[in-house]
Amino acid sequence: AQSVTQLDSQVPVFEEAPVELRCNYSSSVSVYLFWYVQYPNQGLQLLLKYLSGSTLVKGINGFEAEFNKSQTSFHLRKPSVHISDTAEYFCAVLNDYKLSFGAGTTVTVRA
Amino acid sequence: DTGVSQDPRHKITKRGQNVTFRCDPISEHNRLYWYRQTLGQGPEFLTYFQNEAQLEKSRLLSDRFSAERPKGSFSTLEIQRTEQGDSAMYLCASSFDTVRGGYTFGSGTRLTVV
């Protein structure tokens, strides 16, 4: 089964600074990749997904991710973060109908 | 449609007691999933329904766990003889087209076994 690895467990960042969250996936013929955000004591909300086509994927709340097949990566970026972006972020890969999640990256935005 | 609903949001129970959680998926979604999330970890797959049929159960789901989805609508997850290791967030999700649409998650039920 395919898996993902999130390379950073915690990312502190100042407000209005850019942020990048790193995610690598295990290689496969075809891959469907997702980024989810989880605010405290809430479920997961889909930020964006890569199914096929353009390698630059735009999502909600100003986030985007780039699918890089040669590097087997799917890094998430935002050019300018807000305090409200403080949350846990999960990268996931679809195996048939099941999502396999990384361990998560905690983003803490400071003023 | 208000999304995926889970009830209760929080549950504290004594070790050895039975608990049952409910999930109401988005009405037109025929697929329903249960995941478990422990502190500091990503969600882990527990089980999956397509309509009323339970198509897969993870090895994480011991004999004390049972899930049902009567009539292909809401689902229940029961844990018998709870143990402290069962303390976690239990997440339900539903989908129509898993690839194109992805999942919609509920807010979860946080279980604490004391």
Side-chain angles (χ1 to χ4, degrees):
Chain A
Q2 299 174 71
S3 63
V4 294
T5 302
Q6 292 184 243
L7 301 172
D8 310 290
S9 59
Q10 298 197 28
V11 173
V13 58
F14 286 106
E15 193 174 18
E16 298 182 8
V19 70
E20 178 179 82
L21 308 184
R22 298 180 293 166
C23 173
N24 285 0
Y25 64 91
S26 59
S27 180
S28 179
V29 175
S30 63
V31 61
Y32 303 118
L33 293 160
F34 302 79
W35 275 99
Y36 282 86
V37 61
Q38 186 176 35
Y39 300 103
N41 296 314
Q42 293 190 28
L44 282 75
Q45 181 182 7
L46 179 66
L47 278 176
L48 48 78
K49 59 186 180 235
Y50 172 79
L51 305 180
S52 64
S54 173
T55 57
L56 184 63
V57 181
K58 293 192 182 296
I60 63 170
N61 301 341
F63 284 93
E64 62 182 32
E66 185 156 16
F67 173 70
N68 188 319
K69 189 172 182 178
S70 62
Q71 309 239 344
T72 61
S73 67
F74 189 54
H75 299 335
L76 181 71
R77 301 185 184 98
K78 185 168 182 177
S80 176
V81 296
H82 303 290
I83 297 288
S84 59
D85 292 321
T86 294
E88 185 103 22
Y89 292 80
F90 293 96
C91 182
V93 64
L94 193 66
N95 288 298
D96 294 325
Y97 45 80
K98 295 180 291 187
L99 284 172
S100 296
F101 289 88
T105 298
T106 301
V107 173
T108 304
V109 182
R110 300 167 181 168
Chain B
D1 196 344
T2 56
V4 178
S5 300
Q6 291 189 247
D7 184 69
R9 290 295 307 277
H10 304 275
K11 178 72 177 178
I12 300 174
T13 190
K14 291 184 178 179
R15 191 172 48 188
Q17 297 293 306
N18 299 344
V19 294
T20 300
F21 310 141
R22 178 180 170 122
C23 171
D24 287 90
I26 292 174
S27 56
E28 60 265 28
H29 287 182
N30 60 344
R31 300 174 186 183
L32 187 146
Y33 315 82
W34 285 98
Y35 281 75
R36 181 171 68 187
Q37 185 180 21
T38 53
L39 207 59
Q41 298 298 317
E44 297 173 294
F45 172 81
L46 291 179
T47 190
Y48 157 63
F49 290 85
Q50 182 158 321
N51 301 313
E52 66 276 10
Q54 187 175 19
L55 297 186
E56 185 173 343
K57 290 174 61 173
S58 163
R59 282 169 290 183
L60 292 174
L61 221 59
S62 75
D63 292 343
R64 297 184 296 105
F65 287 71
S66 63
E68 294 182 342
R69 192 184 182 197
K71 302 178 184 178
S73 56
F74 71 93
S75 175
T76 57
L77 178 67
E78 181 183 15
I79 309 174
Q80 296 182 328
R81 305 180 303 282
T82 52
E83 302 172 356
Q84 286 191 319
D86 296 331
S87 295
M89 174 81 89
Y90 290 84
L91 293 163
C92 177
S94 69
S95 74
F96 180 71
D97 180 333
T98 303
V99 173
R100 300 232 158 258
Y103 290 14
T104 301
F105 280 87
S107 297
T109 294
R110 181 167 295 285
L111 173 67
T112 303
V113 181
V114 298

